[in-house]
Amino acid sequence: MTASHSTNATRSTRKKSLPALVKVRAERLLLRIGVSAANLAYSGFKRLPVQHKVAFITWNSDTVTPDFQVLIDRLRLVDDPPTVVALCRELGGGWTAHVQYGFHLLHQMYEMATSKVVVLDAYCPLASILNHRPDLRVVQIWHALGAFKKFGWSIVDKSEGWSAQSNIPSRTLSRLLRMHTGYTDAVVSYSGAIPHFAEAFHCDPSIIHVGWLPRVELLRDDTRMAALRARIFAAHPELVGKRIALYAPTIRRTAMDASRVVSLVSTIHDNDWNLIVKPHPVRGERPEPLFPTQSVEVPEFSAIQLLAVADAVVTDYSAIVYEAYLRGIPVYFYVHDMEDYEQARGFYTHPREFPSRVYATAGDLIRDMNALVGDRQAMKDFVEIFLEDSPARVDILDLINPSSGLGRG
């Protein structure tokens, strides 16, 4: 290549990169303005009187989650029970949904400003970007029972990072939005997960407590699970009479190979199983069935609730494996891209470290699933690890009860 060609190529590259650079700078400026505007509005809300109140906030669901419901029910029984507010709303698509969500965010501001405690089960932008009162307790009870795939600050430089749709570099965006900043307390189910969650939240490990998520109470209560099983069968009698497979794939920035999903669904259906497909809670239920002739749609029950009827669980990298083991249900990892996914996201606990087998083809998986292959003793041993019962374990109720002295690390 001649010197003139080299110079022209350099100029061309600069021309092409200039629009992208302008977009990044524009987005950064808009974000900074947005954060400042949000804090300006919030400063007005903070002038209002603080109430004896606990606010539960999630964007993983449009309804109160099982974890939140258990805690809400328990708060109503304490001495001097607080007022409880639950703000559960997913962000939908379209301009109308975004405008409506804007008003919902104002509602979040009001509740944060006037509550003594805020409880989260996922990343909440306002909880991080707003400058809260020093006495506000913000408790993160992350929605996974264990540390499986990496998230948060652990993946800011990975292709599976949550900012993949932005022009701003992921690490820069995370700093601008102060991702996971502002927690006074966080909860994990076992001490071995503390370093992982401290990395993901970019926080001091001292604010992280060992405690069991409220769903553990439900999953361990055979009477309540039997009642839930009866409710599900009453609502969906078509599930009765066949073994039930629950397919719960994880959330991905890039879709899983569609041909492999079709192969899995067809194979399970052809082997006389009732199949229920549940997307990750962040994805929500789809308006149209994914596999209307090969699966049973059960939109009114969550994947966790469906463990009351499931005989087998199939997933790629979903943390539902922990709940399945707690119920003694065998899990089958259907993956073909572990190496690629490890590069794109990474694991705190590798799939091969779980007491389940890993399958690259639907044929191999269904062979073992038909026989319900699974080491139940290994599952029990694994449960004892990730549900740590030690003197250091706290009751989440004590962390979120405004009258409690616990919290704040």
Side-chain angles (χ1 to χ4, degrees):
M1 180 182 292
T2 65
S4 61
H5 287 161
S6 177
T7 302
N8 290 337
T10 301
R11 288 174 179 169
S12 176
T13 300
R14 286 175 179 171
K15 288 180 180 179
K16 290 179 180 178
S17 63
L18 185 59
L21 183 61
V22 170
K23 285 183 179 180
V24 169
R25 288 181 174 173
E27 281 192 27
R28 289 174 64 175
L29 178 60
L30 287 174
L31 274 177
R32 288 194 176 101
I33 293 173
V35 169
S36 297
N39 273 290
L40 181 61
Y42 190 53
S43 64
F45 285 120
K46 286 192 292 184
R47 296 177 182 273
L48 299 172
V50 176
Q51 304 169 33
H52 188 60
K53 180 171 62 177
V54 178
F56 291 81
I57 300 176
T58 186
W59 68 348
N60 277 350
S61 173
D62 284 330
T63 59
V64 177
T65 65
D67 285 329
F68 281 1
Q69 191 61 61
V70 170
L71 291 172
I72 290 170
D73 292 342
R74 293 187 65 196
L75 275 174
R76 288 172 176 154
L77 299 177
V78 303
D79 295 333
D80 189 21
T83 300
V84 173
V85 176
L87 301 181
C88 306
R89 184 164 186 159
E90 294 183 74
L91 175 59
W95 282 106
T96 301
H98 281 70
V99 170
Q100 291 174 341
Y101 204 81
F103 287 103
H104 176 71
L105 292 178
L106 288 174
H107 190 183
Q108 283 188 15
M109 284 189 193
Y110 167 77
E111 298 300 346
M112 289 181 184
T114 57
S115 295
K116 290 186 176 180
V117 182
V118 172
V119 185
L120 312 171
D121 70 348
Y123 171 59
C124 175
L126 289 184
S128 295
I129 68 172
L130 297 179
N131 300 318
H132 301 295
R133 305 183 325 270
D135 59 339
L136 177 66
R137 194 184 301 174
V138 181
V139 182
Q140 173 63 260
I141 62 165
W142 194 252
H143 54 273
L145 263 184
F148 184 0
K149 58 185 179 292
K150 293 185 176 182
F151 68 97
W153 281 92
S154 297
I155 61 170
V156 290
D157 296 321
K158 301 272 190 176
S159 60
E160 277 280 320
W162 64 275
S163 61
Q165 295 179 339
S166 173
N167 291 302
I168 302 175
S170 185
R171 185 171 291 274
T172 302
L173 183 60
S174 298
R175 286 173 176 159
L176 287 171
L177 292 180
R178 307 175 193 171
M179 186 171 66
H180 294 303
T181 298
Y183 305 150
T184 58
D185 303 274
V187 178
V188 298
S189 63
Y190 59 105
S191 56
I194 290 178
H196 303 314
F197 276 71
E199 177 184 275
F201 294 152
H202 210 240
C203 71
D204 192 307
S206 66
I207 74 165
I208 302 179
H209 310 267
V210 173
W212 295 352
L213 288 182
R215 74 187 67 166
V216 173
E217 295 182 28
L218 170 65
L219 293 168
R220 282 189 158 175
D221 190 329
D222 290 335
T223 300
R224 292 171 66 188
M225 291 299 285
L228 179 57
R229 179 183 180 89
R231 281 174 51 208
I232 295 171
F233 281 154
H236 294 275
E238 66 272 27
L239 290 173
V240 179
K242 290 184 182 180
R243 290 186 296 185
I244 298 170
L246 174 62
Y247 176 42
T250 192
I251 188 171
R252 290 170 177 257
R253 297 298 174 192
T254 55
M256 187 177 178
D257 186 337
S259 65
R260 290 180 179 270
V261 176
V262 170
S263 174
L264 173 70
V265 170
S266 299
T267 300
I268 293 175
H269 177 265
D270 292 345
N271 275 263
D272 207 31
W273 285 76
N274 268 325
L275 173 65
I276 303 174
V277 180
K278 298 294 287 189
H280 189 280
V282 172
R283 290 295 187 211
E285 296 289 342
R286 295 172 183 266
E288 298 295 333
L290 287 173
F291 304 97
T293 63
Q294 297 172 305
S295 65
V296 180
E297 292 292 309
V298 190
E300 70 272 39
F301 294 97
S302 69
I304 300 300
Q305 291 174 312
L306 288 169
L307 293 177
V309 298
D311 296 293
V313 170
V314 181
T315 188
D316 47 3
Y317 311 111
S318 171
I320 197 174
V321 296
Y322 295 99
E323 287 87 355
Y325 291 147
L326 185 54
R327 289 298 304 165
I329 302 171
V331 176
Y332 304 89
F333 287 112
Y334 183 61
V335 297
H336 68 283
D337 62 347
M338 275 197 303
E339 291 75 16
D340 292 340
Y341 193 82
E342 188 163 16
Q343 291 297 317
R345 188 177 189 113
F347 304 106
Y348 299 121
T349 305
H350 195 277
R352 295 194 185 281
E353 297 178 63
F354 289 90
S356 292
R357 295 182 182 178
V358 175
Y359 304 87
T361 67
D364 289 338
L365 184 148
I366 197 65
R367 181 197 64 228
D368 283 356
M369 199 169 84
N370 281 337
L372 287 178
V373 169
D375 189 334
R376 296 187 183 277
Q377 185 57 52
M379 286 192 287
K380 289 181 180 179
D381 294 342
F382 194 76
V383 169
E384 289 185 4
I385 294 174
F386 75 78
L387 281 186
E388 183 178 317
D389 193 4
S390 69
R393 182 167 64 88
V394 302
D395 186 338
I396 294 179
L397 183 69
D398 292 329
L399 289 175
I400 69 171
N401 183 358
S403 301
S404 169
L406 292 183
R408 308 196 67 79

